[in-house]
Amino acid sequence: MMASFTIEKRTKANGEFSYRCKVVVKQKNAIIHRESKTFRKKELARTYGRKRVQEIENDEIGIKKTIPLSALLDLYFEDVHLWEKTGRTKQYVIKMLRDCDIAKIQSNKLKTSDLIAHCKIRQLAGAKPSTVYHDICYLRAVMKKAQPVFDIEANYSVFEEAIPTLIDMGLISNSDRRTRRPTQLELEKLQVGLEIRENQKPNGHVRIPYLDILDFSILTCMRIGEVCKLRWDDLNLDHKTIVVRDRKDPRKKEGNHMIAPLLGESFNIDNMQPNDKDL
């Protein structure tokens, strides 16, 4: 954190001069605090500026440390302990929010009206309420970490008021429940497209068995992230089972390991993969 001050000379209505001392505090090139005070003499303004900068840098007089939401999102992104535990969808949303107008707002000044404006903009761009709901949830998750992790003041409590309002306005909603399986024609189209993708192996890159992943996912009802994290050490050849690590659960994800049976053709698909790596 670095504090600095400037003196601004101003002409009053009666022709006399006044001197405004403007103090600015920056953290990682982002302004986190501003304040100013006006004096009738330049030397008084300069004395105040020097004293205030020293107080702030020595943390003798505390200030509320606030930063634009864009800077807060950057801090979250740059913290390896937070980012490595962040799912792929959440990472995408956080990066997207970084470039939205809402990211210009100071972390302690976010209002319900700002969230409403953001949701309306996203809706006009074609995003469904269930998609915009992710924006609000993941922004709330980042702001919840602001004070305990980064010592940044953030108006986290705004979401208690905002979320019911956004739901009532139809701007956000839960995802629609899936009620059907893909048709045979849809599966055939997927297979054709994935076969083309599978054969377009870039130089130096490992071939990805898209067709096997598709068939295996359908047979086991596993998510793509779960399929791609399966380990050879967790495959039980005798019982035809495999451990699915960190299976998604709304209450617990880390350590939520489950033994899944490999029924029908799924065991053969699993066992025919090249056994030259841990995964």
Side-chain angles (χ1 to χ4, degrees):
M1 183 178 69
M2 184 179 71
S4 62
F5 75 92
T6 56
I7 306 297
E8 183 180 276
K9 184 178 180 181
R10 310 183 74 186
T11 304
K12 297 191 289 187
N14 61 5
E16 295 180 355
F17 297 113
S18 65
Y19 300 87
R20 175 178 288 180
C21 177
K22 299 170 72 173
V23 179
V24 173
V25 184
K26 291 185 177 181
Q27 186 170 5
K28 292 187 176 181
N29 294 322
I31 295 176
I32 63 172
H33 179 73
R34 300 176 191 266
E35 62 182 60
S36 63
K37 191 172 182 180
T38 302
F39 299 85
R40 57 186 179 82
K41 291 185 178 181
K42 185 175 183 179
E43 191 56 40
L44 291 174
R46 184 179 289 111
T47 300
Y48 171 83
R50 289 170 178 166
K51 180 175 180 291
R52 192 69 183 107
V53 165
Q54 184 177 7
E55 289 173 344
I56 292 171
E57 293 188 341
N58 292 339
D59 203 25
E60 293 175 3
I61 297 179
I63 61 170
K64 288 185 176 181
K65 299 176 184 177
T66 67
I67 56 177
L69 288 176
S70 59
L72 179 59
L73 292 165
D74 285 343
L75 288 175
Y76 192 96
F77 171 80
E78 292 164 2
D79 191 299
V80 65
H81 297 95
L82 292 173
W83 196 247
E84 284 189 352
K85 297 181 180 295
T86 301
R88 183 174 57 182
T89 301
K90 188 174 180 180
Q91 287 185 353
Y92 171 81
V93 172
I94 289 173
K95 290 178 181 178
M96 181 275 297
L97 287 171
R98 176 65 178 76
D99 297 323
C100 293
D101 289 342
I102 198 171
K104 300 173 184 177
I105 298 169
Q106 289 292 118
S107 57
N108 69 331
K109 294 183 178 179
L110 183 66
K111 304 186 297 293
T112 297
S113 57
D114 298 321
L115 294 169
I116 291 173
H118 171 77
C119 292
K120 286 181 176 179
I121 290 171
R122 292 277 282 134
Q123 197 174 70
L124 287 172
K128 294 183 178 180
S130 57
T131 300
V132 182
Y133 184 65
H134 289 152
D135 293 15
I136 303 304
C137 287
Y138 297 150
L139 179 59
R140 179 177 61 176
V142 171
M143 291 184 68
K144 189 176 182 179
K145 296 292 191 298
Q147 182 66 57
V149 178
F150 306 114
D151 195 25
I152 299 295
E153 292 287 333
N155 187 20
Y156 167 70
S157 62
V158 69
F159 293 96
E160 295 178 11
E161 172 194 75
I163 289 179
T165 302
L166 295 171
I167 292 173
D168 288 343
M169 295 177 69
L171 293 171
I172 63 173
S173 69
N174 290 322
S175 300
D176 295 332
R177 185 179 295 275
R178 297 185 180 99
T179 57
R180 70 173 185 88
R181 294 175 67 85
T183 65
Q184 187 59 39
L185 179 60
E186 288 170 335
L187 284 174
E188 289 172 0
K189 288 183 177 180
L190 278 171
Q191 289 167 343
V192 170
L194 289 173
E195 186 174 11
I196 294 172
R197 183 77 174 269
E198 188 171 314
N199 292 327
Q200 292 176 339
K201 184 179 72 171
N203 291 333
H205 286 251
V206 177
R207 172 183 167 274
I208 299 175
Y210 289 109
L211 291 172
D212 286 345
I213 291 173
L214 172 65
D215 292 338
F216 186 82
S217 298
I218 293 172
L219 290 165
T220 61
C221 295
M222 290 186 196
R223 292 175 171 83
I224 185 70
E226 294 168 344
V227 173
C228 294
K229 289 195 294 185
L230 296 175
R231 307 181 65 85
W232 282 106
D233 289 345
D234 293 332
L235 178 64
N236 188 316
L237 297 175
D238 295 329
H239 297 128
K240 294 187 176 180
T241 61
I242 194 163
V243 176
V244 184
R245 295 183 174 273
D246 298 325
R247 197 142 211 192
K248 187 173 181 180
D249 185 277
R251 293 155 299 182
K252 180 184 179 183
K253 181 176 179 181
E254 290 187 21
N256 188 36
H257 308 327
M258 295 178 62
I259 296 176
L262 297 178
L263 304 175
E265 186 63 21
S266 63
F267 177 77
N268 295 331
I269 294 174
D270 216 3
N271 213 28
M272 65 188 277
Q273 303 307 312
N275 188 353
D276 55 356
K277 291 187 172 129
D278 292 337
L279 297 176

